[in-house]
Amino acid sequence: MPDFAFATCLPGVEPAIKLEIELNRPDLKFAFSRPGLLTFKSTQEITPADPPGSVFARVWGRSIGTVVDPSAVAAEIAALGATRVHAFSRDLEIPADVARWQAIGPGGAAQDGELVADLIVPQGAATEEATWLGLHRHDPSRPPHAGGTFGVVVPPDAPSRAFAKIEEAIAWARIPMAAGQVALEIGAAPGGAVLALARRGLTVWGVDTGELAPNVLALPNVHHLAKKVGAVRWEELPPRVDWLLVDVNLAPQVALHEIARLMPKLRPTLRGAVITLKMNDWSFVAELPKLVARIRELGLPDVRLRHLPSNRREVCAVALPGVS
Ligand SMILES: C[S@@+](CC[C@H](N)C(=O)[O-])C[C@H]1O[C@@H](n2cnc3c(N)ncnc32)[C@H](O)[C@@H]1O
């Protein structure tokens, strides 16, 4: 019997995962897909610790197959050695009947090294379809919660989902942002991420021609530079910037070009950057290595990419100085 790998993802980004696998994993051949789930047949052994083959995968691991006999699945999971059960809707935004599966074993956040059984449950109109069983071994690079999520709760006064984007990035890459530090966000309006960082006690400078939401702008540790990034002069920036956030709706190459102009001023104090790379079409996937190289050239060599749960047609890049 050949081994199979599985990936879950935001429904609609399956083509991006297929392309990335074609480019990077010659051992894998596409086998099966439904919105939010793909499987790949492997020429080699696929262990639950198999490194994710795509930055677009929310959960990646060894595919066991469809659940044929629901009454036997608890015993099957125990025999596989999983100590945690993550049952989740194949489309995280549409509820599925996960309760019956959650009763099988402990849910909640996986610990580093723990073997997790993933039960990927069809949702909404797809409820007649099969539930899939997979296995992954949790490690610090993977999201700890069911479905590849981080357990971020967006407060009702957040003006945009970018609140979740930055909190997910911080949780995933364990970014050491701390009260008293200074963040600069390019593309800050209406201010979801600014609010998240201001709540963490950072001083936040937002560059955007658009308005920040009144509740965000009113905070004493928030400053707005109401101009395009291309018009920002070095003297207008705060004397020290610890963290750079980039969330402009510009093509990634254009956004990175604008950032490069500011880097000589920022680099001496910069601890890292969180850059949202906007994806116009699937050709973006083939460009990812070039974009990573471009970010490294900014002076931040440790670059990681992930399609975060709150990302849509975009990918999050976290860039850190790395060990020197
Ligand atoms: C996805 S939104 C940013 C959301 C924001 N990060 C938040 O937390 O709410 C993209 C923003 O980029 C801004 N933008 C587009 N081109 C820009 C430029 N050249 N300079 C500055 N901001 C720009 C837009 O005005 C828009 O507000």
Side-chain angles (χ1 to χ4, degrees):
M1 268 287 280
D3 276 8
F4 287 84
F6 79 94
T8 67
C9 65
L10 174 71
V13 305
E14 300 84 8
I17 298 192
K18 284 191 200 171
L19 271 171
E20 234 192 326
I21 297 300
E22 276 171 30
L23 291 171
N24 301 332
R25 289 285 297 261
D27 58 314
L28 296 179
K29 287 277 168 293
F30 169 69
F32 170 87
S33 134
R34 298 295 299 139
L37 171 70
L38 305 101
T39 67
F40 297 88
K41 189 171 165 178
S42 176
T43 52
Q44 295 167 17
E45 184 192 359
I46 295 290
T47 72
D50 190 55
S54 168
V55 301
F56 294 94
R58 286 174 169 169
V59 186
W60 178 275
R62 173 180 165 82
S63 175
I64 305 297
T66 55
V67 174
V68 181
D69 178 2
S71 66
V73 79
E76 189 178 2
I77 287 172
L80 289 165
T83 48
R84 199 168 291 276
V85 177
H86 282 175
F88 54 94
S89 177
R90 211 173 61 201
D91 182 339
L92 294 180
E93 281 162 33
I94 302 177
D97 179 17
V98 292
R100 61 190 285 221
W101 306 108
Q102 281 166 337
I104 291 173
Q111 305 300 308
D112 290 349
E114 194 170 15
L115 194 59
V116 182
D118 296 290
L119 282 160
I120 305 142
V121 184
Q123 74 295 337
T127 44
E128 294 309 309
E129 296 181 20
T131 288
W132 280 74
L133 174 61
L135 272 186
H136 77 269
R137 193 169 295 284
H138 184 67
D139 66 53
S141 72
R142 300 180 193 237
H145 289 274
T149 58
F150 295 91
V152 170
V153 178
V154 178
D157 61 341
S160 68
R161 70 182 164 82
F163 184 103
K165 284 200 298 194
I166 189 64
E167 286 294 337
E168 288 165 358
I170 293 168
W172 159 56
R174 305 189 181 185
I175 305 174
M177 287 188 185
Q181 296 175 340
V182 181
L184 169 71
E185 182 170 38
I186 312 294
V194 172
L195 180 68
L197 297 192
R199 289 245 161 101
R200 284 175 169 265
L202 284 85
T203 296
V204 194
W205 290 68
V207 175
D208 204 307
T209 44
E211 298 289 325
L212 293 183
N215 65 318
V216 177
L217 192 57
L219 296 171
N221 49 342
V222 168
H223 306 274
H224 184 200
L225 274 175
K227 42 172 65 184
K228 287 191 171 179
V229 59
V232 171
R233 287 177 285 116
W234 286 10
E235 320 72 273
E236 294 173 296
L237 295 171
R240 184 186 114 212
V241 173
D242 298 283
W243 301 101
L244 172 67
L245 277 62
V246 183
D247 191 20
V248 273
N249 35 27
L250 294 173
Q253 291 85 348
V254 178
L256 293 174
H257 177 78
E258 296 287 5
I259 299 313
R261 185 182 69 82
L262 301 177
M263 279 311 282
K265 159 85 184 184
L266 302 177
R267 198 174 287 124
T269 60
L270 202 63
R271 294 167 195 264
V274 181
I275 304 173
T276 301
L277 302 168
K278 305 285 172 183
M279 175 168 54
N280 294 324
D281 53 59
W282 301 128
S283 64
F284 171 89
V285 173
E287 298 300 310
L288 284 173
K290 265 190 239 159
L291 293 172
V292 167
R294 191 83 189 81
I295 295 171
R296 288 202 176 113
E297 282 165 22
L298 297 175
L300 298 165
D302 175 7
V303 182
R304 306 164 214 187
L305 302 177
R306 176 171 266 273
H307 190 258
L308 297 168
S310 295
N311 284 139
R312 294 296 171 264
R313 294 184 72 84
E314 59 198 13
V315 166
C316 174
V318 171
L320 300 168
V323 234
S324 49

